[in-house]
Structures are given as C-alpha cells and as structure tokens.
Amino acid sequence: MLWGFVALLIVALNRDVCGYGTGAPAMTCGDMMPQHGGNRPLTTAVPYTLSLSKQTYRPGETIIVSLQGVQQTTFRGYLIQARPVGRAALVGAFSIPQGSQTVTCGFGGSEGVTHTERSDKQRVTLHWTAPTSSVGSVVILATVVHSYNNFWLGVSSPVLNPETATQAPVAARTPAPVAPTRFPFRPDTTLAPTQQTTQRTNIVTLRPQWTKRPLPIPITNNPRIAPAVDPRGDTDVDFNPPSQGATGINLLRTDPNCGKTKGCYMKCRNHQCKFIVTWQSKGNDIHFEMASVVPPQRDNWIAIGFSGDTKMGGDSVVECVAESGLVQVFNSYNEGFSNKRLQNPKVGITGESGSVRDGIMRCQFNRAMVVPSVPQLSNLNQDWHLMFADGAARPGFQKAMHGTTKDTMPVASSLKIDFQNFQVVDKAASYPLVKVHACFMLLAWVFFTGVGIITARYYKSVWEYSTLLGLRIWFQIHRACMVAAFALTIIGFIIIFVEAGGYSQVCIGGHGYLKAHPVLGIIVTILVIINPIMSLFRPPPATTRRPIFNWSHWAVGMLAHLLAVLTICFGIQLGKSSTPNSAVYVMVGCVLYQVLLGVTLEVLKFIEKRKLEKAKMETLEMKSSSGSSGSLSNGTSRKASTAMILIESPIRKILLLVHVVVMFAFTLALILLVAMN
C-alpha cells in the first residue's frame, strides 16, 4: 500500500498541478491562465455574460461590471481585469465586493479581482474605477472556471470607449486576445485566434492550427518601436533574419557571421536555435545582439548574465523586456536567487532597440566595457561565463521568475568568453558534482535500500538455521545494504553542499513543487542518521520493549525511503541535473515493480502460513490418535516446520536473486540517464 501511494503521488506530481480554491495568484496576471494541471481552456461557446452598466467612461468614473451565468449556469472561480484594446497593460482599479479579493499585478494596486472560495456562484457584481486620464478604448476580460477541468479563457465585455473619443460600433472593435501561454513552442504550429459570441459576451480563445502563412503579431506594429541599427550602419530590424519553415512560421537560424565577424553563444540543433547571443567589440563598448524563440501572444523578457562560476549569484545582468511591442533594456544584479535592478538601470547602456515578430524576440544594445562608478556591473575586459535566461514579462516592464526545469532555467556557457574575440560556444556548462550526487543517491535508495528492506521483511524465515559470521544471513544482508545506503547518502549530502556552497534553495518558478527538493533531502539525511543511532540501543529480543523498537525502526526507515524516492523524482527534473524526463518514468516503473514483488511475497507468506497451520493440525491429530508422547509431538512439529521452510525457501531465494538483478538494472538505467546527458 505504501509503495502504491508513492507511485500515485509521483505520477501526480510529475504534472504541474496547482489548484487555487482561494483565488488566482499574482503569477497568473499576465496570461490569466489557471494552473490546473496542464488542462487547456475550452473553445466551446461560453455560457457566461460579462456586461457593463454603460459603454462609455470618463476619467475616474466607476462602472458596474456583472459576470453572470447563462440559464442559471454556475461557476466556481474567476479572474477579471481591465485592459486597453490591443495592449497588455492593466488599467483602473476594482473594488472588493463580498466573496472577492483584489489581485496586485505589479503596480501595488487592485488591477484584478478574483474569488476567495470555490463554492458555486451564478452571478458576481463588481465596481471598476477608470484611471484618472483617458487610456483609449478598454475591454473587461475574464477567466471563468466552472470546474477544475473546465474553464474559459478570454471572456470579454463589450468595448468601453472614452466619452471624449469618437464612438465606434462595438462590433467593429476586437478585444485584445488573452492567450494561454503555457503551450510549448513548436516550430511547425502556430496559435490562431478564433472568436465565438454568446449574447453580449465575446470569448477569444487560442488553439493550434496549421497555416501556410505566418500570423502577424499586433504588438509589432506599435509606432514606439525604434528600428534596430545594424552594426554595419544600416537600419534593419532583422539583423539576423530568420528562415521560414514549411508551415510559414519563422525559425531562428544560426548566424553565418559567427566566428568570422561576431562571437556567438547559442543553443541550436540542426541549424535551428532556441536562442543566439552575439557580440562585437566597438571601441569602449561591446555590441550585443540577442534573439530567442518566445511564446507568441505574450510579453516576454530575455537576458544575459556575466558569471564567474556558471552559478546564479553575484552576476551582472542585462535584460531586454517587451511590453506591448516596446522593448526596453535594463541593468540588474543577481543576489543569490534574487534579481534586483540597479538604481540607474540604464547606466552603461546605449543604442538599445528591439522587436517581437512571429514568435521571435530580438534585442540589441551597446554595453560599456567598464563602468567604474557602478561596482555591480561586470568588467567586460575580463572573461566571463555567459548565462542566458528568459521568461514572461509583467506589466510595467517587470520580469516574472524563470523556471527551474531543464527547459526553463538559465543556461550558462561551458567556457569563459573573451568578448574581444570571435569565439563560438554552443555547449552549456555541466555540473559534474550534481551528477555524482545524483548517482550516489540512486545507488543508495534504489538499489541498496530496495534490496535491504525486502530482505528484512520477507527473508527472516528462509535462513532460519543458517548464519554468516555468527549472525543470521538475512540480517547480514540487511545490515550491509543499509550501511552502504547510509555511507552513500552522507557522501552525496556533503557533495551537493560543496557544489552549492552551503544550503541552496531552489528558486521559485516553473514546477513549484521542485523547491521542496533540498528540504526533503535534508529530512531524509536526518532520518538516515537517526535510524542507526536507534539500533545502538536495541533491546534484547525477549524484552517487552523490543516490539516498540521494531516498529520505530521500521517507521523511520520506511519514511526515509518514501521521502527519498520523492526527492529523487524532484531532483532529476531540476535543470542542473540535465536528465531527460524519461528518468521519472523509469522511477515509476521501479516503484510499480516493487509493488508487484511485495504482493507476490505477501501471497507466498500467506500460503506458507496456511501450510504450517495445516501441518500443526496433522501433528495434533497424530498425537491424539496414537497417544504419542509430547517429545515425539514436538519432534514431528519441528519436522513439519522444517519441511515447509524447505518447500518455500527455493522459491523465495530465486525471487531474491531476480530482485537483486532487476533493482541493479533499474539503478544502472537511471545512472546512465543522469551521467550521459
């Protein structure tokens, strides 16, 4: 049962499951996408209306907003915001009605409103106060949750126009689409908006569609975008023009000038890249160009950091942040896992420009090699590992936290870079101590613990009269496995602390449960130390305290084993392990195998018990019918018990041998996945 619980928990936690019955968190402000275990919004007709008390507004005026189900349709959750048409910014402020709460989305105000509990609701009435100055046409947008698996994204009200502006028919205006941004990027698909209307409510949803021509992204038409200046002096926003794939989607290709007139750091495969960073020395400046594939229909940020050790912390960062098509460049600084912008974030930055087009974000700028007045800015006369990171942008040119998984965490260059040379680096840094730590923990908790626990639980009676070095064979096997697991755990614990330079908390982002990995690892290590200490005070077998010790020893050991398996599953999903996701499924397969083995051994144990009871009954009948003495009866019972042990032992011994081989195979497969990637 315990192993079955672990299997189910691993499968469940391998998905990004974060339900929020008490309201949407601030992290959903940008895309309004519920974190419901990867479920996608429905594209059917929305059964709700989002109506307004009027269709025009004056600065500072309060408008009544009503969210209501059609034909008594109920809903459990919602997130409602107001946005200018065609822009991602949030405007105005919401009041706090009963059963609701405001959501702060980056400005310290009440830019959104959400539920406080998950009961069924048929209607919610809110009050939205317009900003003190006109922001043009505004649309109220909502995400409405009917149940955990069923929700609608991009439910919109009629357009709310300023009274001073020329009124346009509502049907002629299209609300800004709110796109679910959690689709992984695929170069052969695009997200095409489709509209559906129910009564006065529009819903804008997104679904993957095949198309022969790229869809233009509206924010790239913003007149505020400055044209990018090519290093050769020409004005050309596509300083590294991408190629088009078979479906018309622009792909980020390798730069032919890498190693010739530019230095390059990139992550590419078959000449198709996730990101490219290039640099050229220009007198007292280094000219940088960055390009990265980003999720469409979302504001994004890309950044580079200058690191002395490939680890986050103490790094100078230059970040490019896009909001409504405008790309801004800022200086910031990493303190541990926290990133802070400098007091003057533009210091040392000149010639900044950028664009977002067809799923590719581009940015270029000049960074002064030395800024003596700001010690947080790295001296580019020195060599640095170059780190690249990206993520979702929040209103006000703010960055959301990047993820911690292999696909979302920052990627550091394998070599230190001389920014006065045209070197090409296309390999990311590896973390050998992390891999050694992982391999030690796999040996400890998959192989040795997997064999040691089974031996202690099911093999005490197999070698009942056999000893090894003066102790029973099962105990010697169990103790050897547990000592090995103890030693490997302690060594692995020390190794990871050396690698991290002390306790290192996993930064929040991506799969939120992964941040539990270091905490669980410390708990497991403490339990590993406690159990052998308990063994030193083990009472003799005949005492009344021995059962208490047995249960305590079992409980501590099983808790350590269960937590260790979860910790390993979390650890191999972290970016620094660079382990493929298939390793998690190998772990699940290992757990399911042990469940099957445990059931098999329990059945054999039950059969053995029944046969022994039958043998005892036959012995009693023989005594009763023949009048044999008690000594004869005892001898016959001993023979019956020994016969049963001889019958069952070969089967169990074969199963133990098979178990050792299978657990070794699982362990070897996991170690190879960790070490060779």
Side-chain angles (χ1 to χ4, degrees):
M1 293 297 293
L2 287 173
W3 277 112
F5 166 77
V6 173
L8 293 175
L9 190 58
I10 291 173
V11 173
L13 290 178
N14 192 42
R15 302 169 58 195
D16 190 7
V17 178
C18 296
Y20 293 92
T22 57
M27 69 178 68
T28 62
C29 284
D31 54 21
M32 301 183 72
M33 180 72 173
Q35 298 187 15
H36 286 187
N39 291 316
R40 297 294 180 236
L42 298 176
T43 58
T44 56
V46 57
Y48 306 102
T49 61
L50 193 58
S51 58
L52 308 174
S53 59
K54 55 183 300 189
Q55 293 189 9
T56 60
Y57 73 94
R58 296 187 304 273
E61 182 180 9
T62 298
I63 305 295
I64 299 175
V65 181
S66 296
L67 174 62
Q68 184 173 0
V70 176
Q71 297 180 351
Q72 305 300 314
T73 304
T74 60
F75 56 93
R76 294 185 177 181
Y78 57 89
L79 173 62
I80 300 177
Q81 298 175 347
R83 301 191 181 195
V85 172
R87 294 170 54 197
L90 305 182
V91 294
F94 286 91
S95 62
I96 309 177
Q98 184 177 2
S100 300
Q101 60 184 333
T102 57
V103 181
T104 300
C105 295
F107 298 111
S110 306
E111 297 88 10
V113 63
T114 187
H115 56 286
T116 57
E117 41 79 29
R118 65 180 70 188
S119 64
D120 290 335
K121 295 169 272 290
Q122 205 274 324
R123 180 186 179 92
V124 170
T125 301
L126 312 169
H127 292 81
W128 174 76
T129 302
T132 55
S133 60
S134 177
V135 291
S137 298
V138 174
V139 65
I140 309 297
L141 297 171
T143 294
V144 186
V145 178
H146 178 268
S147 62
Y148 184 83
N149 296 322
N150 300 309
F151 57 89
W152 286 263
L153 190 71
V155 180
S156 66
S157 71
V159 174
L160 189 62
N161 295 306
E163 287 191 357
T164 56
T166 302
Q167 299 298 319
V170 173
R173 305 299 302 271
T174 301
V178 177
T181 60
R182 302 182 185 274
F183 292 107
F185 172 80
R186 295 182 180 179
D188 56 353
T189 61
T190 186
L191 296 177
T194 62
Q195 292 187 4
Q196 297 175 358
T197 304
T198 300
Q199 296 186 14
R200 298 177 60 193
T201 302
N202 298 329
I203 179 169
V204 180
T205 59
L206 298 175
R207 61 172 179 261
Q209 293 183 346
W210 295 96
T211 178
K212 292 186 178 181
R213 49 183 303 186
L215 295 171
I217 297 180
I219 60 174
T220 61
N221 297 324
N222 193 312
R224 294 183 294 168
I225 300 178
V229 179
D230 188 86
R232 297 181 295 274
D234 301 328
T235 299
D236 182 6
V237 72
D238 290 326
F239 45 78
N240 179 21
S243 302
Q244 287 192 337
T247 61
I249 300 299
N250 280 353
L251 304 178
L252 185 58
R253 297 287 188 178
T254 53
D255 192 323
N257 295 316
C258 287
K260 299 176 182 177
T261 61
K262 300 178 181 179
C264 296
Y265 171 47
M266 52 192 171
K267 181 180 180 181
C268 303
R269 185 176 183 180
N270 297 328
H271 301 289
Q272 298 180 15
C273 304
K274 175 62 176 71
F275 69 83
I276 299 176
V277 180
T278 69
W279 58 89
Q280 292 173 303
S281 179
K282 299 288 184 180
N284 294 326
D285 297 335
I286 302 295
H287 178 80
F288 286 96
E289 299 172 358
M290 291 192 288
S292 176
V293 174
V294 295
Q297 304 291 348
R298 184 187 83 175
D299 286 340
N300 298 276
W301 61 267
I302 57 179
I304 55 173
F306 305 95
S307 173
D309 55 6
T310 74
K311 300 176 185 178
M312 189 173 176
D315 316 308
S316 174
V317 176
V318 182
E319 60 195 50
C320 299
V321 187
E323 181 177 340
S324 301
L326 179 63
V327 178
Q328 294 262 5
V329 182
F330 306 97
N331 279 311
S332 58
Y333 185 76
N334 289 335
E335 291 183 350
F337 288 123
S338 298
N339 178 266
K340 298 179 181 179
R341 282 199 182 146
L342 301 185
Q343 187 174 4
N344 178 7
K346 300 286 189 179
V347 62
I349 299 293
T350 58
E352 62 180 276
S353 61
S355 67
V356 182
R357 179 181 296 172
D358 301 322
I360 296 177
M361 181 174 174
R362 303 179 184 279
C363 176
Q364 62 177 328
F365 54 88
N366 298 319
R367 159 72 153 79
M369 284 195 276
V370 182
V371 185
S373 60
V374 185
Q376 293 92 339
L377 293 183
S378 299
N379 183 344
L380 299 188
N381 286 313
Q382 301 176 9
D383 295 352
W384 302 93
H385 289 279
L386 200 58
M387 303 180 72
F388 179 87
D390 62 352
R394 292 177 176 172
F397 293 98
Q398 300 299 315
K399 307 189 304 297
M401 175 68 76
H402 61 74
T404 58
T405 60
K406 294 174 285 296
D407 298 326
T408 59
M409 72 170 293
V411 182
S413 62
S414 59
L415 304 173
K416 284 190 173 183
I417 291 172
D418 180 356
F419 295 101
Q420 282 73 43
N421 290 329
F422 300 144
Q423 67 186 111
V424 177
V425 181
D426 58 0
K427 293 184 179 180
S430 60
Y431 301 89
L433 289 181
V434 173
K435 292 184 177 294
V436 172
H437 163 78
C439 292
F440 276 29
M441 293 305 181
L442 288 170
L443 277 171
W445 295 102
V446 177
F447 180 72
F448 285 112
T449 307
V451 174
I453 289 178
I454 289 293
T455 304
R457 180 167 178 81
Y458 296 106
Y459 286 83
K460 291 181 180 179
S461 62
V462 173
W463 292 287
E464 185 173 359
Y465 306 110
S466 301
T467 61
L468 178 65
L469 300 178
L471 294 173
R472 291 186 178 183
I473 294 177
W474 74 265
F475 180 76
Q476 294 285 40
I477 296 174
H478 174 73
R479 184 170 64 175
C481 288
M482 294 301 106
V483 168
F486 172 85
L488 289 168
T489 300
I490 297 301
I491 295 172
F493 183 81
I494 294 172
I495 287 174
I496 202 62
F497 260 70
V498 171
E499 164 68 19
Y503 176 77
S504 179
Q505 182 180 4
V506 174
C507 56
I508 300 173
H511 299 286
Y513 59 83
L514 297 183
K515 63 184 178 181
H517 176 77
V519 177
L520 290 176
I522 292 175
I523 294 174
V524 169
T525 304
I526 292 173
L527 293 174
V528 164
I529 296 173
I530 289 175
N531 225 4
I533 294 176
M534 291 173 57
S535 299
L536 297 177
F537 300 95
R538 178 179 57 184
T543 61
T544 57
R545 292 178 297 172
R546 183 59 178 261
I548 298 175
F549 164 80
N550 290 339
W551 279 106
S552 301
H553 181 70
W554 175 86
V556 172
M558 286 304 299
L559 179 60
H561 196 197
L562 296 176
L563 293 180
V565 171
L566 291 179
T567 306
I568 289 172
C569 287
F570 294 169
I572 58 183
Q573 295 180 69
L574 292 174
K576 283 189 176 181
S577 72
S578 64
T579 306
N581 293 331
S582 57
V584 177
Y585 299 104
V586 175
M587 281 294 299
V588 172
C590 180
V591 170
L592 294 178
Y593 156 75
Q594 292 191 68
V595 171
L596 179 62
L597 178 66
V599 171
T600 302
L601 290 172
E602 286 290 346
V603 170
L604 288 176
K605 187 177 180 181
F606 175 77
I607 294 173
E608 177 184 348
K609 182 178 179 181
R610 292 292 300 271
K611 289 184 177 180
L612 286 175
E613 290 176 353
K614 183 179 179 180
K616 289 180 181 179
M617 290 297 297
E618 291 176 352
T619 303
L620 290 175
E621 291 175 359
M622 290 173 60
K623 177 182 178 181
S624 175
S625 60
S626 62
S628 300
S629 63
S631 60
L632 177 61
S633 174
N634 291 337
T636 305
S637 178
R638 171 68 63 85
K639 290 180 180 179
S641 177
T642 303
M644 292 310 309
I645 292 172
L646 292 175
I647 291 173
E648 300 297 337
S649 292
I651 299 177
R652 289 213 224 169
K653 289 177 181 178
I654 292 173
L655 286 177
L656 180 60
L657 179 61
V658 171
H659 178 60
V660 171
V661 173
V662 172
M663 293 306 293
F664 180 78
F666 273 118
T667 306
L668 181 61
L670 289 166
I671 289 176
L672 290 176
L673 287 172
V674 169
M676 298 180 65
N677 289 276

